[in-house]
Amino acid sequence: MSFIPDTATLIQFAIATVILAITPGPDMTLFVSRTLSQGRATGFASMAGALCGTLIHTTLVVVGVSALIVASPMAFFVLKIFGAGYLVFLAWQAIAKGSAFSPVKKIGPQISLLRSWAAGLGVNLLNPKIILFFMTFLPQFVSAHDPNAPGKLFFLGSMFIVLSIPVTVPMVLAAEKFSAAMKASPRVTRVVDYLFAGVFSAFALKILTAQAK
């Protein structure tokens, strides 16, 4: 199965994915907020919408990056260097500004599961940071000279979704406790921020030093 990356790459990608999944952001805020105000079914519907958005991002990245590899390996190399710089920026932002997590429990009319799904999809697809993240993050794990790069990119994108599910599902199941714990323990959030910053700085350093040899 040539589309499966080597074990070292899979482990590195898995670590980065889990840390990214537990880092508070717009998607997590939406899941928890909808669960608190509308119930678990609505929270899961929002989560499903966001995961569908991730699949769309992955598909677009595979198509775009694959075309870039064929057209110009040098341009792909420039994308990876730009990606390394963006990961450093994200690491700095995590430490300087911290995570964004502010779920709001609003009492109102029941929102349909379809609308909740659409909200999750919209938050994911229309977030420019997520678009830029996928365009610069996934390519770090493939080589421009790898003929199986498209398959590996899609495999990693699918792996991102699979690994995110067991992390986000407990957040929805225990939304009230999770929200209270996050607000009552800012130190825990800061630890996650530093983990995020450390892992993505390491990936940025890896790609820069690898290309420098």
Side-chain angles (χ1 to χ4, degrees), residues 22-25 29 93-102 182 188-190 192-194 196:
I22 63 176
T23 302
T29 298
Q93 196 171 46
I95 294 175
K97 298 184 178 181
S99 303
F101 183 74
S102 54
M182 292 292 287
V188 174
T189 305
R190 290 305 289 162
V192 172
D193 290 335
Y194 276 97
F196 181 95

Side-chain angles (χ1 to χ4, degrees), residues 95-111:
I95 294 175
K97 298 184 178 181
S99 303
F101 183 74
S102 54
V104 179
K105 184 176 183 178
K106 294 181 179 179
I107 304 300
Q110 185 67 31
I111 299 174

Side-chain angles (χ1 to χ4, degrees), residues 72 131 180:
S72 173
I131 297 172

Side-chain angles (χ1 to χ4, degrees), residues 21 25 31 36 43 73 96 171 175 181 193 205:
F31 306 156
L36 290 174
M171 296 177 186
D193 290 335
L205 181 62

Side-chain angles (χ1 to χ4, degrees), residues 26-49 101-123 171-173 175-176 179:
D27 285 5
M28 186 188 297
T29 298
L30 177 66
F31 306 156
V32 176
S33 295
R34 285 294 168 88
T35 304
L36 290 174
S37 60
Q38 302 285 328
R40 288 177 179 173
T42 305
F44 280 125
S46 300
M47 185 181 78
F101 183 74
S102 54
V104 179
K105 184 176 183 178
K106 294 181 179 179
I107 304 300
Q110 185 67 31
I111 299 174
S112 69
L113 296 182
L114 180 60
R115 284 185 60 189
S116 295
W117 178 86
L121 180 68
V123 165
M171 296 177 186
V172 174
L173 291 175
E176 198 157 331
S179 177

Side-chain angles (χ1 to χ4, degrees), residues 6 8-9 12 84 140-141 200-213:
D6 59 82
T9 299
Q12 293 171 4
Q140 308 298 322
F141 297 89
F200 284 93
S201 294
F203 280 126
L205 181 62
K206 176 187 174 184
I207 186 63
L208 291 174
T209 54
Q211 297 295 348
K213 294 180 181 179

